DNA sequence: CACGGGAAGTTTATCGGTAAAACGCGGAGC
DNA sequence: GCTCCGCGTTTTACCGATAAACTTCCCGTG
């Protein structure tokens, strides 16, 4: 491995001067700078990040921990986070947390161990951190969970989104609107927030929200969505509209409804949440709540970078803007 | 920050002993080991990875560079790579290369700069490395490109897969089988390999492979697939079967065919490649070539780990096994 | 009873950078 | 002619861990 020392010898200067050139610091004369750059080129030198980090305490890497790299909506987000971070001179390391509290806590620990300068954590399960030592680590919550305001939080428009979707279905003429969701309605989380938005929209319009119109799945997979179609079809509730908690569930549901011979939007109208890429190309294409992922990514990066610079400033909560994208699955009868 | 020195003082031993405990090295008595562990717990100590790396030259991180974290098939792979690497005591850092040669070369540079111990590179565009300095960096090519055997390579069953898909369509009764692809047929790459498999299957059965049955798209997006449906429908070629170069293209195509009122599999049968999750839930569900992603991930990790240990051993090429998953889109008439 | 050998710990010398202080030197000011 | 200044560069002193060499001390053996 070629070190600064080698470059310095080659250029006939001290290694401190090489360091100054590498980091574009002032106080190096033009001829010397050129000599050093030439020596760097000739020798194929690269800085040793470990050595730099050891001395400076900064790695220039931001972690992005997501529940599951397979999840469709994550890719969108990740790619914007990477782009935004690069603009600000940071690298992004993507970590998988597994969609459970233990894995998410581990992600924080790993992030500190690997010395990421900060972490953007998209948690779905974790609702508090044990380690008081983590209290001032630059951490930005992205998505569902917030930790009671202890960290910066970029939130999804959960209530607002399902409210809009539900209202839209009602406007299209639906009268018996079900909600299909997974996970727990206990506590304050993504699912309970989305459920609340749905309830509020129904209440405003004086529509039913019988408990039977709530279908709770084991998880939020496509397969669960597909299975939900059977439960809907067999329920005898006369459901004519469905709000699905995510597009993944909605896409599975569309598939399941097709299997049961129910026509969308003829018999049932469907709306999803996230606007994942396949939503636009499904048959029928899926009406969905489209949060502004680019905005969320940019905000999260901005917040984490700001917090790296100033670990103690007060935290804030920011809700992403969204659009309701109306497509075939909710077309008027 | 609490250092080994602090822990050592607290436990009344030298910091070398602390190091030995932290790394589970032999030669520490049970009582001392317990004292040290207790001191670590009490002080909240964590190793400083930079310091360790600086001295040892190893980071314990494997890079995984993919063209585009948004691409559907990547998530699958990534999540298996992460799991397999963890089993072997490595972390994985996911990097985005952008689907172009410059970005892919950068990914190699970044990987070295960030001192990943090795890199799994899923390249689509790059076909040689400029830097001779990179010649012995532990690098495993995953997917399409190989660099003329200069690196270990875990390959997709490109020819074998489209051969099987094409043969299957023919067996289902298709006589005018088109192929829809994107990118360049020049050189040896994923597209040309898949095209060759298609040609071979047609030739074996004495079916047409007129150049017009080849539809080349600008890229391999869903939108391009959708647009291809128009070209197919307007071609007047009587196409009754389509092999799509990827599931993403195939899903767009299904959507486009629906727009044109063409029934799948009634009027046209369709097969894709990759078996991404939405393929099983599309309407109609998509027949597709399913490479064994878990096998590929495990192989790639095994190879990179082995090469980290022995940078000079001869390289190998390994083709992933696959299954043809037959679904509705190619059902017999 | 002297001696070889291993187990348990400690010391020493680095790994490759960087902040901060020290240095050398030519020119401005009096 | 002497002091002072500031620019460009070098020196010094770490950052926190670890491999390798070294010290103790204890035990078994001939």
């Amino acid at each position: 491995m070629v070190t600064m020392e080698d470059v310095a010898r080659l250029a006939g200067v001290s290694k401190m001067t090489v360091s100054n050139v590498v980091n574009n610091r002032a106080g190096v004369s033009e001829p010397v700078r050129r000599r050093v750059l030439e020596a760097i080129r000739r020798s194929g030198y690269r800085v040793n990040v470990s050595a730099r980090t050891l001395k400076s305490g900064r790695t220039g890497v931001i972690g992005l921990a997501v529940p599951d790299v397979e999840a469709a909506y994550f890719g969108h987000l990740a790619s914007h986070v990477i782009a935004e971070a690069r603009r600000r001179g940071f690298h992004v390391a993507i970590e998988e947390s597994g969609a459970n509290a233990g894995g998410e806590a581990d992600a924080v620990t790993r992030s500190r161990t690997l010395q990421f300068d900060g972490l953007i954590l998209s948690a779905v399960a974790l609702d508090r951190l044990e380690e008081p030592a983590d209290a001032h680590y630059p951490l930005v919550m992205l998505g569902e969970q917030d930790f009671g305001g202890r960290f910066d939080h970029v939130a999804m428009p959960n209530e607002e989104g399902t409210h809009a979707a539900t209202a839209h279905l009602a406007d299209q003429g639906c009268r018996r609107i079900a909600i299909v969701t997974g996970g727990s309605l206990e506590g304050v989380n993504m699912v309970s927030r989305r459920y609340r938005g749905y309830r509020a929209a129904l209440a405003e319009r004086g529509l039913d929200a019988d408990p039977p119109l709530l279908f709770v799945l084991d998880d939020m997979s496509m397969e669960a969505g597909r299975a939900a179609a059977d439960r809907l079809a067999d329920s005898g509730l006369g459901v004519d509209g469905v709000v699905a908690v995510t597009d993944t569930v909605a896409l599975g549901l569309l598939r399941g409804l097709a299997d049961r011979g129910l026509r969308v939007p003829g018999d049932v109208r469907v709306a999803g949440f996230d606007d994942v890429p396949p939503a636009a190309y499904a048959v029928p294409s899926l009406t969905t709540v489209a949060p502004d992922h680019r905005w969320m990514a940019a905000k999260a990066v901005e917040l984490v970078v700001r917090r790296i610079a100033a670990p103690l400033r007060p935290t804030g909560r920011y809700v992403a803007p969204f659009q309701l994208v109306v497509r075939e699955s909710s077309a008027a009868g």
Side-chain angles (χ1 to χ4, degrees), chain A residues 73 144 156-159 161-162 165-166 169 178-185 189-198 213-222 224-225 228 232 242-253 270-276 286-291:
Chain A
Y73 100 101
E144 314 316 342
M156 294 277 261
N158 288 316
E159 273 189 67
T162 45
T166 309
L169 291 180
I179 183 164
V180 174
T181 185
S184 163
L185 290 165
N189 55 32
M190 176 256 251
V191 170
S192 69
R193 285 209 172 98
R194 293 191 183 175
Y195 181 60
R196 192 178 319 166
Y198 156 83
L213 285 173
L214 165 65
F215 292 79
V216 179
L217 314 176
D218 293 338
D219 56 52
M220 297 191 271
S221 65
M222 281 196 169
L232 275 167
V242 182
V243 175
V245 73
T246 65
D247 278 0
T248 302
V249 167
L251 291 171
L253 182 69
V270 176
F273 202 119
D274 282 340
D275 196 24
V276 300
L286 181 65
T287 292
T288 186
V289 175

Side-chain angles (χ1 to χ4, degrees), chain A residues 107-183:
Chain A
V108 178
T109 304
R110 271 209 307 281
S111 172
R112 303 207 56 167
T113 301
L114 295 176
Q115 296 181 276
F116 299 154
D117 291 341
L119 177 68
I120 297 174
L121 176 61
S122 178
V124 300
L126 193 66
D127 53 10
R128 56 181 178 165
L129 282 179
E130 300 296 339
E131 292 281 322
D134 293 327
H136 294 300
Y137 183 62
L139 187 60
V140 172
M141 305 302 300
L142 178 60
E144 314 316 342
Q145 304 291 49
D146 78 357
F147 289 1
R150 285 182 42 221
F151 299 99
D152 287 315
H153 184 198
V154 178
M156 294 277 261
N158 288 316
E159 273 189 67
E160 301 85 340
T162 45
H163 184 285
T166 309
H168 163 71
L169 291 180
D171 291 347
Q172 298 296 86
C174 301
R175 285 297 161 264
R176 299 281 291 171
I177 304 176
I179 183 164
V180 174
T181 185

Side-chain angles (χ1 to χ4, degrees), chain A residues 303-315:
Chain A
L303 287 170
V304 79
V305 168
R306 229 197 273 170
R307 186 153 301 279
I308 288 167
L312 298 178
R313 44 187 286 287
T315 63

Side-chain angles (χ1 to χ4, degrees), chain A residues 92-109:
Chain A
V92 174
I94 300 171
E95 293 268 322
E96 196 175 45
S97 60
N100 60 76
E104 288 166 358
D106 283 355
V108 178
T109 304

Side-chain angles (χ1 to χ4, degrees), chain A residues 1-19 35-36 38-40 42-43 45:
Chain A
M1 194 47 37
V2 33
T3 77
M4 261 188 186
E5 193 70 55
D6 302 331
V7 175
R9 203 172 312 120
L10 203 61
V13 297
S14 75
K15 68 176 178 173
M16 196 60 225
T17 297
V18 177
S19 173
R35 267 213 329 276
V36 170
E38 174 60 17
I40 288 174
R42 286 230 311 280
S43 61
Y45 166 79

